[in-house]
């Protein structure tokens, strides 16, 4: 902590500073700037009722997920700032996380705008359709209630001892960046991209998703880096936090989530591609943290 000296060491920049720099250059885009006129026309003419149902279901998950991550991120930079001598510059990481909070807000805004202007509703239960099985309860808990709980816990851990703080932060980062962003969001965006490619519709949506995905790439890369830093401070977090978290994802969350997205699958989403994407993302996370730190390949459990 600097007193009489510059707290940010500009000559010794971490990976987080590079993501912060990219955010300044690439993260500056406006959700209000996308023209949605063609999207409105496509929505009326290019989709059957069944397709609309599946698409809105996916977008509901995205809207709720983006709102959830926007609401729960604030304690993360506080917790990072409370780490004592963690082996990396906490200020650079805090600076990056401020860009992430702003970006999540914009993602929430874009989906909110899309619901209003294209779907003609703000109802994420989409009252126009039979709402049975619209949400998968385990996914809803993980994405909303549990993420809120771990964020609350992190807020309290800012004043706790360092061991508790590191452990709680590891749990929060694995939940938020490791699963919600690197797995759930990535799998969801993959299904959207595949479907929109095949359909060739909704150009405003496609353009915005490209920007959102780019933002998410930085959030995920930084999250993996932070998970590795925390494993460096306390190697027990891998076995006690990361592995059980991924086990829960592959055992209880991935299958039901994909099934929920699919339904009767009028849009022709490729479920195998989604499972492969999830496993590939898991492997990238493990490799970033250090494969030698992991005991078992928990991704096999979901097969
Ligand atoms: Fe986001
Ligand atoms: Fe994100």
């Amino acid at each position: 902590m600097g007193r009489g000296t510059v707290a940010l060491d500009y000559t010794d920049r971490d990976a987080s500073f590079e993501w912060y720099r990219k955010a300044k250059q690439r993260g500056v885009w406006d959700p209000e700037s996308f023209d949605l006129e063609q999207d409105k026309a496509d929505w009326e003419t290019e989709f059957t009722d069944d397709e609309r149902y599946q698409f809105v279901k996916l977008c509901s998950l995205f809207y709720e997920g983006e709102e959830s991550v926007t609401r729960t991120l604030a304690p993360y930079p506080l917790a990072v700032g409370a780490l004592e001598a963690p082996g990396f510059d906490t200020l650079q990481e805090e600076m990056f996380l401020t860009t992430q909070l702003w970006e999540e807000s914009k993602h929430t805004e874009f989906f909110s705008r899309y619901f209003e202007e294209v779907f003609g509703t703000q109802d994420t239960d989409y009252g126009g359709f039979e709402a049975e099985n619209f949400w998968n309860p385990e996914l809803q808990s993980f994405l909303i209630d549990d993420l809120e709980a771990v964020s609350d816990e992190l807020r309290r851990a800012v004043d706790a001892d360092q061991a508790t703080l590191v452990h709680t932060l590891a749990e929060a980062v694995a939940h938020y960046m490791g699963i919600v962003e690197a797995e759930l969001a990535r799998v969801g965006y993959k299904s959207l991209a595949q479907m929109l490619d095949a359909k060739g519709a909704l150009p405003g949506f496609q353009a915005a998703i490209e920007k959102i995905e780019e933002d998410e790439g930085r959030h995920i890369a930084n999250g993996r880096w932070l998970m590795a830093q925390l494993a460096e401070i306390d190697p027990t977090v891998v076995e006690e936090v990361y592995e059980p978290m991924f086990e829960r994802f592959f055992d209880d969350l991935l299958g039901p989530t994909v099934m929920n997205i699919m339904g009767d699958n009028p849009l022709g989403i490729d479920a195998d591609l989604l499972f492969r994407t999830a496993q590939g993302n898991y492997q990238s996370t493990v490799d970033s943290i250090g494969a030698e730190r992991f005991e078992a390949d928990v991704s096999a459990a979901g097969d």
Side-chain angles (χ1 to χ4, degrees):
M1 181 63 73
R3 283 285 182 275
T5 167
V6 176
L8 171 66
D9 185 351
Y10 202 75
T11 63
D12 184 16
R13 281 162 292 180
D14 278 331
S16 45
F17 190 90
E18 294 308 319
W19 292 309
Y20 165 78
R21 169 181 281 157
K22 282 213 175 72
K24 286 187 299 174
Q25 295 163 350
R26 309 280 309 160
V28 186
W29 55 274
D30 184 354
E32 287 183 293
S33 68
F34 298 97
D35 182 350
L36 300 182
E37 287 311 309
Q38 186 60 47
D39 290 50
K40 285 184 213 169
D42 288 351
W43 188 242
E44 293 304 320
T45 58
E46 301 297 314
F47 289 79
T48 65
D49 274 0
D50 288 347
E51 288 174 332
R52 276 196 278 266
Y53 177 79
Q54 191 179 18
F55 191 73
V56 171
K57 185 184 237 182
L58 260 166
C59 288
S60 292
L61 292 179
F62 274 105
Y63 174 79
E64 295 294 345
E66 296 291 2
E67 181 186 322
S68 180
V69 297
T70 303
R71 285 184 187 277
T72 53
L73 187 63
Y76 288 65
L78 291 179
V80 165
L83 292 170
E84 289 164 11
F88 64 94
D89 182 4
T90 54
L91 181 58
Q92 292 176 45
E93 178 61 21
E94 287 173 75
M95 287 163 72
F96 173 75
L97 288 169
T98 63
T99 70
Q100 176 162 350
L101 184 49
W102 186 60
E103 288 167 4
E104 301 302 6
S105 304
K106 292 197 297 168
H107 303 171
T108 302
E109 180 195 349
F110 176 76
F111 280 100
S112 168
R113 180 181 171 216
Y114 210 82
F115 266 84
E116 178 64 37
E117 293 184 26
V118 178
F119 303 153
T121 178
Q122 292 274 303
D123 183 2
T124 56
D125 282 332
Y126 209 55
F129 285 102
E130 189 53 57
E132 198 185 340
N133 296 329
F134 202 80
W135 282 92
N136 151 27
E138 172 66 14
L139 177 63
Q140 183 166 8
S141 315
F142 195 88
L143 195 61
I144 299 172
D145 305 331
D146 298 357
L147 191 60
E148 198 176 300
V150 78
S151 173
D152 285 345
E153 209 183 311
L154 189 58
R155 194 150 36 81
R156 288 189 293 273
V158 168
D159 298 319
D161 60 276
Q162 286 289 302
T164 304
L165 176 62
V166 169
H167 219 264
T168 311
L169 183 57
E171 199 170 332
V173 174
H175 192 128
Y176 187 123
M177 288 84 175
I179 306 280
V180 171
E181 294 189 302
E183 295 291 351
L184 294 171
R186 269 280 156 92
V187 167
Y189 281 120
K190 191 81 177 177
S191 59
L192 282 176
Q194 182 225 328
M195 187 274 295
L196 288 169
D197 250 15
K199 198 103 183 136
L202 312 180
F205 190 87
Q206 292 196 52
I209 292 301
E210 213 170 284
K211 299 306 291 177
I212 291 175
E213 270 266 81
E214 207 182 290
D215 294 350
E216 294 301 343
R218 291 189 296 276
H219 306 169
I220 291 166
N222 174 70
R224 286 171 173 156
W225 179 82
L226 193 50
M227 284 170 79
Q229 299 299 318
L230 295 167
E232 193 65 44
I233 299 169
D234 178 1
T236 67
V237 297
V238 176
E239 197 189 333
E240 291 173 12
V241 178
Y242 299 164
E243 288 185 342
M245 187 79 77
F246 278 103
E247 225 169 304
R248 179 180 174 193
F249 171 70
F250 282 105
D251 286 354
D252 303 332
L253 211 54
L254 178 61
T257 299
V258 171
M259 288 308 122
N260 186 262
I261 290 172
M262 302 291 284
D264 295 336
N265 199 22
L267 291 166
I269 288 167
D270 179 350
D272 286 341
L273 176 68
L274 303 188
F275 285 113
R276 284 201 308 278
T277 302
Q279 285 190 329
N281 294 342
Y282 167 72
Q283 202 49 58
S284 301
T285 300
V286 167
D287 291 343
S288 302
I289 296 166
E292 70 287 352
R293 297 185 195 271
F294 284 75
E295 286 272 305
D297 178 9
V298 298
S299 73
D303 285 352

